[in-house]
Amino acid sequence: MNSRRLLAIGAGALVAAGLVAGCGGSDSASADGGLSGAITIDGSSTVAPLTTGAAESFNADNKDVQITVGTSGTGGGFEKFCAGSTDISDASRGIKDEEAAACGTAGIKYTEFRVASDGITIAIKKGTDTGKTCVNFTELKKAWEKGSTVNNWKAIGGKDLAMKLAGPGDQSGTYDFFNETVLGKDDAGEVNPARADYAASEDDNVIVTAIEGSPGALGYFGYTYFEENADKLDDLAVKGEEGDCVKPTAETITDGTYPLSRPLFIYVNDASMARPEVKAFVKYYLTNAVSLAEDNEFVPAPQSALDESLAKVPA
Amino acid sequence: MTLTQETLGARPSVAPFAKKRHRPGDVVFHAVVLGAVIVAISSLIWVMWSIVKVGVPLIDWDFLAVNNGARPKTAGFTSALRGSLVVLLITMLVALPLGFGAAIYLEKFAVARQQVAARRAVLLRDRLANERGLARVGTSVRLIWARLVGPLNRFVDINISNLAAVPSVIYGLLGLAVFVTFAGLSESLLAGGLTLAMLVLPIIIISSREALKAVPSSIEQGALALGSTPWQAVRGQVVPAAIPGMLTGSILAMSRAIGESAPLIVVGGVVFSTHIPSVNPVNAGSEALLAMPLQIFFWAARPQESFRDLAAAGIVVLMIVLLLMNSVAIFLRNRYSKRW
């Protein structure tokens, strides 16, 4: 009878599943760091690779500490962090006032630690002559601000060449940082929004592809994405409100002379910090931040900032 | 899928009819349909090829056995693979019994009850005229209930169809609210599996009902005529005849579940854990929610080419699991399908 044969197959599958399951549950290693427990981390997908690298190396000496890293984005990460469901939040920008308020209402106290740097790179297709090798904030603002109709490099002092814009979407921490730094705030203290008619993507690789495929395209994204695609893209030097034209390099981003450099943070819940495994992990992360950054292709934070961060870890 | 509808037009049984008349409209339609097929197939082949070319060379035992990590050379896929398998097992354990049960009830018993209720409503109405006092109240309540059964069944029907069309991210919100926040399951493989079970449940119910419907009623009526109860007829005759179709539909639903990332992200999926999850579903409540689509997504968004290549390798593994599941479905269908 068919049904009986099916039952037999089903039973066989269950037994097989049970056997596999029995084999899988046996990876308990002995504690060598003496620490145990679980650390939950969520937040920016920009910072996640660095945190993952830190967790992996830390785990080599502390096998009983389970660390998980999620990538809900900086904003999504803070939402969970301020609900108390994560111990550490990765952030590619500082916490916003309303996020801090949410943490305050929930009674979550936290400390901010700088772990690395990033530079928002202004990029064009390699070898394109746009007539500009350096852009200043005024020109960038003119091209990106809401209501802008700039569609030619002439409008910002370049050659007669059609300009197409590509950049991150509004869910991205990079978008927030660019707008706050370049577009500034209005009289009410709100960050000015960017124009909406550009090729937007939450995935920086898509922006890279968009720029690389079109002469005259202008876009921005994290420095690592430029570094990895330096054979297809050219970077423009940037001039801030004061100072000179500066090209993004590891040095100018670390020391902050590049006007669009930004710090990358982790936020640690103070209550979690009281747990020895969290404290040990944060200490490890900050102590090794420079070598971790190099290993994982991040731009390191200046040593002074790391020392400052380390000083904030309770003894 | 649209593909099957488009290929239908090019079937030999239809083509001669079109040739006889040679109307220009037919020629244009034929060209459009053929063009659609070519575009669909060639883009599929192109996508597959570009992924297989990059991904396959990277797949070795280490890739399947080592935890994912920060360095592309040593990063493996095992956590994501194990996570997805556990999630799938939980989804199956929850969604199959519930889905089959609901389908059998709705297809075989709800309709019968509705008919009984309608007949009873007529009897009750007559009785109501003669009753007095409390008995009258009781009869009224039963009459109202008898009238409600039909609309209630239709309401359930419509809602199941609607649920099958709800975007998966909504199920993620449901899972977050019900399993993580309310039931306190934490953001675990268990919560992920239960969420996906909710997601595929309507699909399983609908496909199982279709399979049950396809069994000729003569089979069931034969059993009833020989004196079996309705439940005996359904259990002994209808369900065994329908089970290949029910399983096929269910495995296709599972294939959908394994590729879902949006609901898992909402429930609280993570992309890295220092602890490789155990494949024992009993531990699923305390294991971090890792899954193949999440890992692939994380790798694909990295700036380094080497990570994007790993994403391709991950996609190939995911595709192999999918193809295995689909071939089980095809095997079951061919092995056990009956023709009447």
Side-chain angles (χ1 to χ4, degrees), chain A residues 187-250:
Chain A
D187 298 334
E190 292 284 315
V191 174
N192 290 322
R195 64 196 284 181
D197 56 339
Y198 66 92
S201 170
E202 305 300 337
D203 182 351
D204 286 359
N205 287 316
V206 175
I207 306 171
V208 169
T209 314
I211 298 170
E212 160 200 333
S214 145
L218 172 75
Y220 67 91
F221 37 71
Y223 178 66
T224 320
Y225 289 86
F226 169 72
E227 223 184 359
E228 289 292 322
N229 296 287
D231 53 332
K232 303 166 199 153
L233 304 172
D234 277 333
D235 52 345
L236 295 182
V238 177
K239 189 168 182 280
E241 265 137 20
E242 52 214 45
D244 303 319
C245 284
V246 184
K247 281 231 175 196
T249 65

Side-chain angles (χ1 to χ4, degrees), chain B residues 6-227:
Chain B
E6 285 151 5
T7 43
L8 206 64
R11 257 167 46 174
S13 58
V14 181
F17 179 72
K19 253 179 204 164
K20 228 185 261 175
R21 297 241 185 133
H22 268 304
R23 286 193 305 206
D26 289 347
V27 177
V28 170
F29 180 72
H30 196 245
V32 166
V33 165
L34 194 69
V37 171
I38 290 171
V39 167
I41 300 274
S42 54
S43 54
L44 180 69
I45 289 174
W46 183 74
V47 167
M48 294 274 253
W49 170 243
S50 58
I51 283 168
V52 165
K53 190 179 55 180
V54 177
V56 167
L58 290 172
I59 299 175
D60 51 17
W61 177 246
D62 270 2
F63 184 70
L64 298 176
V66 171
N67 193 10
N68 64 344
R71 281 157 206 81
K73 282 222 175 66
T74 56
F77 204 48
T78 192
S79 294
L81 182 62
R82 284 166 172 236
S84 271
L85 291 180
V86 173
V87 163
L88 207 66
L89 192 63
I90 292 166
T91 306
M92 216 156 13
L93 289 178
V94 174
L96 287 192
L98 277 181
F100 286 175
I104 291 170
Y105 173 76
L106 288 171
E107 193 56 38
K108 287 294 158 196
F109 294 97
V111 179
R113 286 191 82 173
Q114 195 176 320
Q115 285 159 356
V116 170
R119 272 202 300 277
R120 191 175 290 162
V122 176
L123 293 176
L124 285 170
R125 200 184 50 214
D126 294 346
R127 230 167 83 188
L128 198 58
N130 306 325
E131 302 264 8
R132 292 283 177 274
L134 259 183
R136 197 180 162 86
V137 176
T139 313
S140 317
V141 170
R142 289 172 64 192
L143 180 59
I144 291 167
W145 175 240
R147 292 233 167 102
L148 271 180
V149 170
L152 208 64
N153 278 341
R154 275 199 297 283
F155 178 75
V156 170
D157 260 12
I158 291 168
N159 271 294
I160 289 173
S161 310
N162 281 342
L163 280 175
V166 167
S168 58
V169 68
I170 306 291
Y171 283 96
L173 292 170
L174 177 84
L176 182 67
V178 174
F179 301 124
V180 177
T181 311
F182 178 71
L185 291 180
S186 79
E187 290 139 349
S188 58
L189 289 176
L190 182 60
L194 292 174
T195 304
L196 291 185
M198 296 299 112
L199 173 74
V200 296
L201 199 50
I203 309 174
I204 293 179
I205 294 176
I206 290 171
S207 62
S208 302
R209 285 186 70 175
E210 290 305 322
L212 289 165
K213 220 179 267 176
V215 179
S217 59
S218 55
I219 306 257
E220 189 182 0
Q221 280 161 4
L224 292 173
L226 290 174

